Amino acid sequence: YKVSFNKNGAKSGSISAITCFVGQSCQLPENQYAKSPDVFIDWSNTPTGGVLYENAQEVPDFGTNTTLYATWKKGYIVHYNGNGATSGSMNDTACVKDESCTLKANTYEKTNYTFAGWATTSTGSVSCNNNNSYTNITTGDEITLYAVWYKNYTVHYNGNGATSGSMEDTACIQNTPCTLRTNTFEKTDYLFGGWATTSTGSSSYSNG
């Protein structure tokens, strides 16, 4: 017998009928229909949803020619914008309205910058964190999330007249707390008092 597939309002895609055998289970194909921004959920034996079968499920013997109908839930599409990234690309995420939706993990990179999260505008601050789940990011049919980048910078340490010792640099990220290294410089007959931003300045940052 034949199992046919009805797109049930889908905007694109096609699926050929499959042949199944009486007395045996039958493997459904992967869904090829699309109804963006709505999201495919499963197959039903009625247009309005009755007995439901998962995508590509192995189904029991129907025993006779059968039509399965694609079922859809209202959805929206999340696009990802690298927002000045120097490399990387990301596919969209299809989300279902009123249900939790997990954002993809960022794969964009920007030279000398660290990814901080996602904003809803190209100049906005972080409103969505990497790879986290959210419900109803937008009330519309689609939204674009823009990568937020924090600039990397390096802290160098100068002994400023020290008689011994050396220190490696510290790599820091803009807008992110950065722990300075513990001082290892020494100066005969002097005690270390902290760090200044000029060679003759007063202490602005404490040790460590």
Side-chain angles (χ1 to χ4, degrees):
Y1 62 92
K2 297 287 186 182
V3 176
S4 303
F5 302 91
N6 187 299
K7 63 184 179 181
N8 202 19
K11 300 176 182 178
S12 63
S14 62
I15 305 176
S16 299
I18 61 173
T19 299
C20 298
F21 298 94
V22 174
Q24 299 180 21
S25 60
C26 193
Q27 182 73 46
L28 300 181
E30 290 278 352
N31 171 55
Q32 301 297 320
Y33 295 130
K35 192 185 177 184
S36 181
D38 292 351
V39 179
F40 173 81
I41 301 301
D42 42 32
W43 298 103
S44 174
N45 61 351
T46 68
T48 56
V51 178
L52 302 178
Y53 304 98
E54 295 179 1
N55 191 33
Q57 178 182 337
E58 186 173 310
V59 295
D61 172 23
F62 293 139
T64 186
N65 290 341
T66 300
T67 298
L68 296 180
Y69 298 83
T71 64
W72 307 92
K73 282 190 177 181
K74 189 66 177 175
Y76 60 92
I77 302 299
V78 177
H79 309 288
Y80 302 92
N81 186 305
N83 201 20
T86 50
S87 65
S89 62
M90 294 182 65
N91 294 327
D92 297 338
T93 297
C95 299
V96 177
K97 287 188 180 295
D98 300 323
E99 295 185 11
S100 179
C101 184
T102 301
L103 302 180
K104 296 184 186 299
N106 172 57
T107 58
Y108 292 117
E109 293 184 355
K110 185 176 181 180
T111 304
N112 295 327
Y113 284 79
T114 296
F115 174 77
W118 301 104
T120 55
T121 65
S122 60
T123 57
S125 55
V126 173
S127 58
C128 295
N129 294 317
N130 193 34
N131 206 31
N132 277 19
S133 298
Y134 299 91
T135 300
N136 294 341
I137 299 175
T138 179
T139 58
D141 289 340
E142 60 182 348
I143 186 173
T144 298
L145 297 181
Y146 297 83
V148 177
W149 302 100
Y150 288 165
K151 187 171 179 60
N152 301 335
Y153 64 94
T154 301
V155 176
H156 308 288
Y157 302 92
N158 186 304
N160 199 20
T163 51
S164 65
S166 63
M167 294 181 64
E168 296 182 355
D169 296 338
T170 297
C172 299
I173 302 171
Q174 174 192 22
N175 298 330
T176 303
C178 186
T179 301
L180 302 180
R181 297 186 187 280
T182 300
N183 173 57
T184 57
F185 291 118
E186 292 185 356
K187 184 176 181 180
T188 304
D189 295 330
Y190 284 80
L191 294 176
F192 176 76
W195 301 104
T197 56
T198 65
S199 60
T200 57
S202 57
S203 176
S204 298
Y205 301 99
S206 302
N207 194 30

